Amino acid sequence: MKKVLIKGSLLLGVIAAYFFLSPVKAVLNYQFNFIATTRFFASSLFDNSTSVAATPLVVRDYLLIDDRLYIFPLDDKVCLPIDVMVVGVDEGFIEVIDTDTRYTISNLTKRSKNLYQYVNSLNDLGTTADFYVIDGDNLNRISQRLLIYYEKV
């Protein structure tokens, strides 16, 4: 936290110098210096965060047949590699919605999320005995973020 405050105050100083001192403005307007300066200030701001697009869901196996995606997880946890909002719940299934696509996740033994709950990617939606099934239109988006763990196969 102290490092971020120091970099933030240094950034404010550089911005003030950019607007009020013409030699600093001449140096920073050069493209390479501008990129190096922004990279220095932004390098440690988001060290602990992970990008959702870069974090795949590791599974034993998956099958994409017609409009159904069968996912065999490493353990009994039901997860998705995308952020979703829960819009329907029942004992055996959860209905979720992404930005513009609705998915139905079935073959659950126990669900762990409630109606209208926002779920971050890779968080548990519930548990399953062997596999879970996802029905929806844009299943390629989910299947592209699945990674088979071949050592467990």
Side-chain angles (χ1 to χ4, degrees):
M1 182 68 179
K2 185 178 178 182
K3 188 177 184 180
V4 173
L5 290 175
I6 292 171
K7 280 195 173 184
S9 60
L10 188 59
L11 176 63
L12 279 162
V14 169
I15 290 173
Y18 177 80
F19 286 111
F20 296 116
L21 299 173
S22 59
V24 174
K25 188 174 190 174
V27 169
L28 288 179
N29 277 347
Y30 188 65
Q31 187 69 25
F32 179 76
N33 292 339
F34 178 74
I35 292 170
T37 306
T38 54
R39 184 175 180 195
F40 170 75
F41 286 118
S43 65
S44 68
L45 293 179
F46 300 104
D47 283 343
N48 297 327
S49 64
T50 57
S51 173
V52 175
T55 308
L57 176 63
V58 181
V59 297
R60 267 189 302 144
D61 198 8
Y62 68 93
L63 299 169
L64 183 58
I65 302 172
D66 297 331
D67 288 336
R68 298 186 113 184
L69 179 62
Y70 298 88
I71 298 178
F72 300 88
L74 289 176
D75 47 10
D76 61 346
K77 295 178 184 174
V78 175
C79 301
L80 288 178
I82 56 174
D83 296 338
V84 292
M85 174 80 167
V86 178
V87 294
V89 294
D90 199 9
E91 286 302 314
F93 76 92
I94 296 177
E95 189 172 359
V96 297
I97 191 167
D98 188 13
T99 53
D100 59 349
T101 309
R102 188 176 293 254
Y103 302 106
T104 303
I105 305 165
S106 57
N107 198 24
L108 302 173
T109 55
K110 180 183 172 190
R111 65 175 169 81
S112 61
K113 301 301 177 194
N114 298 318
L115 189 62
Y116 302 119
Q117 187 172 358
Y118 183 77
V119 181
N120 291 325
S121 66
L122 307 177
N123 284 345
D124 299 344
L125 289 168
T127 59
T128 184
D130 186 30
F131 65 94
Y132 55 99
V133 182
I134 302 175
D135 294 314
D137 292 331
N138 194 6
L139 294 175
N140 287 329
R141 181 168 178 228
I142 295 175
S143 64
Q144 289 173 353
R145 294 186 181 173
L146 298 176
L147 180 67
I148 297 176
Y149 189 43
Y150 287 105
E151 293 179 10
K152 292 282 184 176
V153 176

